[in-house]
Amino acid sequence: MKKKEYNIKAGSPYPSGSKPSGSGINFSIFSRRATYVELLLFDSAESVEPFQIIPLQEDVNRTFFSWHVFVVNLPVGTWYNWRMDGPDQGHDYAFRFEKDKHLIDPWARAVSDKRWSRAEASLPGDNSRSAMRCVVVDDSYDWEGDTPLAIRSEKSIVYELHVGGFTRHASSKVAHPGTFSGLIEKIPYLQQLGITHVELLPVMAFDEQDVPLNTADLGLKNYWGYSTHSFFSPHPGYCVTPEQGTHVKEFRDLVKALHKAGIAIIMDVVFNHTSEAGASGPVINFRGIGGKSFYHLDKYDKRIMRDYTGCGNTVNANHPLVARFIISCLEYWVREMHVDGFRFDLASALARGEGGEVLQDPPVLWGIELSEQLTKTKLIAEAWDAAGLYQVGSFPGYRWAEWNGRYRDIVRRFIRGDKGLINELATRICGSSDLYEYQSRLPISSINFVTCHDGFTLYDLFSYNQKHNFANGENNQDGCSNNLSFNCGVEGETQNPDILQLRRKQAKNVFAILLLSQGVPMLLAGDELLNTQYGNNNGYCQDNELTWIDWDMANENADILRFVQQMIALRKRHPAIMRRRFLTGKLVEGKNITDISWHGIEVNAPLWNDPDARILAYTLAGVEDGEPDLHIVMNMSDEKANVELPVITARKWCIALDTAQASPLDIIPPVDQKPVSHHVYPVNSKTVVVFENISA
């Protein structure tokens, strides 16, 4: 029996996408050059044949470059696609109209990839049996008074995690592994850890089939998610019931639950490229709409897509229409989904003009910074791209924070034992004033990290000198070869107790230095459990136990987990470590001490001019009433050092942290601290020591 066809009206060009009302659904899509447009309606995400095809008429359903139609009484939950035709674009193969190709709505709030075939979408012709589908979403939701959190940047501690990999391992013991729901079940763990923000690897809908052919032949898929196709839709693979179009509700449930726990949410977003890849890539949405505006193209040969991302295409972000799309998308995630911030992958690609040139004042970046709806939203840039543009310390704008790659590199080199780095190390742990102060930016402009999803895990950083990526199917050619790592004497796994002990101590050294540094610290999920990927430093395609968090390690490495929890607690009880302004070296008002003073083995004798120096010590004054001062010693030499402590009156130094000690003496809460009896303290090699002073 043929299903009843719905009546239609002209519709409205605004808003883009599908918008329910009491009497039906309005659909609108942008295409500058299309001459024929069809809306296809389906019963379900897996339906092959549409139950209704609605041809749009140019004189009725087109306003400027928007095609639109209102379908009377059409219910929420209806699945849909578009088809378009237009003029033959000749040699512009990268942007071809294909009247039989199913297109998903770039503004779709939810999509399904249940039947998706990337290979078929990359070939000419009908892909109705293997296309993605969009669904009309009911936008109503009870937020219970929730709003985005406003946690000050200097008090932030960011925890980067992969929604799928965080709970897919059987040891996670959640009801729905690998989903937004599964992450909700782990919120108590996040609270106990003490972090303030989770930074989620991409959760906008992405193409899991976007991997090289050799990698796909091994049964591997795009795991990290840096292959976005639907920027308004949560990824269906992270939903429990995506076939019911519950994407928006499930993501909102996660946000609301995190906010109730006092944890803010930052989304890693990928606006520098899309999953449509290069000229031979699939037709998914933007390419099939026929607009050449969305991507960077060669000036002389429009078949060639400029690639500043290493992914086959680069979004032409500073074209007015594209910039508006990006800003509207960000505002949607803040306004409608209550997201607290964004980290922009390869953000420097967004600083390029339409000819690929680097712009001093990129409109899209300033548009993001100046958006009223994004005023309280954290903005974090990965301030480089894959074509050599490196803007750490010079990213356009003032409100943007940056992943500080220079911090990462200097801390890695110092901890592995490189000599002569203490001058730059001092600058990095004080907030990188050389990068930011001259622009009137702040220590909070620096996102400090030592490990992230891309590269070795923390444990692997001290277990491998070389990458071991053969499992990815690319002959170990993928991934970074310059890891600045130190295997502690043996490549990979070992039973040598001395090496194992050193690796654990080095991990604690990283956590100590990171959480003692001015700026915003970022931790990689699983590092606190000594998670390993067995030397694979590019797990982008490994959706399996190699990259999943093994929660049994929380027991096996309970001492390291405790250390990180206590280290975060130490940071939180010391506003002096969480300064909003740069240190000055001047006297603190009301105290006979400068805000920071530098030392070496001897007090007031820093080793600035020693090219072999691997010891740095400093005293940090408390900034609030009753806050203890801190004395910090970092000895990454190969020898024990007898280090002088500053003489203080009416107070005594107490050991708060010594990474050479076994748990629980490696980090001691204030209630259990005991004063040291001498003015010289033996600091072991490869060790960080922290003292707090208390009243005598």
Side-chain angles (χ1 to χ4, degrees), residues 261-430:
I263 298 172
I265 182 169
I266 297 170
M267 287 174 56
D268 194 336
V269 293
V270 190
F271 288 107
N272 59 79
H273 74 281
T274 77
S275 60
E276 290 188 309
S280 60
V283 175
I284 299 175
N285 43 23
F286 302 105
R287 174 178 290 158
I289 289 170
K292 301 177 185 178
S293 305
F294 205 81
Y295 297 111
H296 283 281
L297 303 179
D298 185 82
K299 181 178 180 180
Y300 301 104
D301 188 346
K302 301 302 182 184
R303 292 172 296 180
I304 299 174
M305 303 179 76
R306 286 179 172 160
D307 184 4
Y308 305 114
T309 65
C311 299
N313 66 54
T314 304
V315 171
N316 188 15
N318 287 295
H319 185 284
L321 294 173
V322 181
R324 185 63 252 166
F325 176 86
I326 292 172
I327 296 170
S328 295
C329 181
L330 296 169
E331 291 174 343
Y332 166 78
W333 285 94
V334 171
R335 182 183 64 250
E336 305 296 337
M337 307 294 255
H338 291 198
V339 165
D340 303 282
F342 303 99
R343 177 264 185 188
F344 292 75
D345 177 65
L346 296 183
S348 289
L350 306 184
R352 293 185 180 271
E354 293 189 53
E357 72 280 7
V358 180
L359 301 178
Q360 182 176 353
D361 294 303
V364 70
L365 296 179
W366 278 105
I368 293 168
E369 173 153 337
L370 299 175
S371 165
E372 186 174 351
Q373 293 188 46
L374 304 179
T375 300
K376 297 182 179 179
T377 303
K378 298 284 190 293
L379 302 175
I380 302 170
E382 184 182 35
W384 53 84
D385 68 16
L389 180 55
Y390 191 81
Q391 296 180 304
V392 173
S394 61
F395 193 76
Y398 289 89
R399 207 158 62 81
W400 291 81
E402 300 170 3
W403 269 26
N404 193 339
R406 291 179 62 176
Y407 177 96
R408 171 200 60 206
D409 293 348
I410 203 69
V411 171
R412 286 188 178 194
R413 292 178 60 201
F414 176 69
I415 290 180
R416 77 175 180 180
D418 290 11
K419 298 178 180 179
L421 302 177
I422 62 168
N423 298 59
E424 184 175 354
L425 177 71
T427 301
R428 298 288 157 253
I429 62 180
C430 288

Side-chain angles (χ1 to χ4, degrees), residues 159-174 176-180 182-183 186 189 199-203 206 208 221-225 235 237-238 453 524-529 531-533 539-540 542-553:
Y159 185 75
E160 187 196 36
L161 67 84
H162 186 285
V163 169
F166 202 62
T167 62
R168 277 188 186 149
H169 199 281
S171 60
S172 71
K173 297 179 181 178
V174 300
H176 300 288
T179 65
F180 298 128
L183 179 53
K186 288 298 182 182
Y189 172 83
E199 182 174 306
L200 306 182
L201 267 68
V203 296
F206 61 88
E208 296 181 356
K221 60 183 181 180
N222 192 304
Y223 169 63
W224 283 348
H235 183 54
Y238 298 152
H453 68 277
L524 173 63
D527 277 353
E528 75 279 11
L529 308 178
N531 178 50
T532 179
Q533 293 179 179
Y540 80 101
Q542 299 289 341
D543 187 8
N544 51 52
E545 293 192 3
L546 181 69
T547 56
W548 298 345
I549 301 296
D550 181 352
W551 289 92
D552 290 336
M553 293 190 300

Side-chain angles (χ1 to χ4, degrees), residues 27-48:
F27 296 88
S28 178
I29 191 168
F30 171 90
S31 180
R32 182 174 183 177
R33 293 182 173 87
T35 57
Y36 183 77
V37 177
E38 290 179 336
L39 176 66
L40 290 72
L41 304 178
F42 299 88
D43 285 319
S44 72
E46 297 189 59
S47 299
V48 175

Side-chain angles (χ1 to χ4, degrees), residues 476-490:
N476 206 35
Q477 298 302 304
D478 62 305
C480 180
S481 297
N482 182 28
N483 295 287
L484 304 177
S485 58
F486 169 49
N487 67 14
C488 297
V490 173

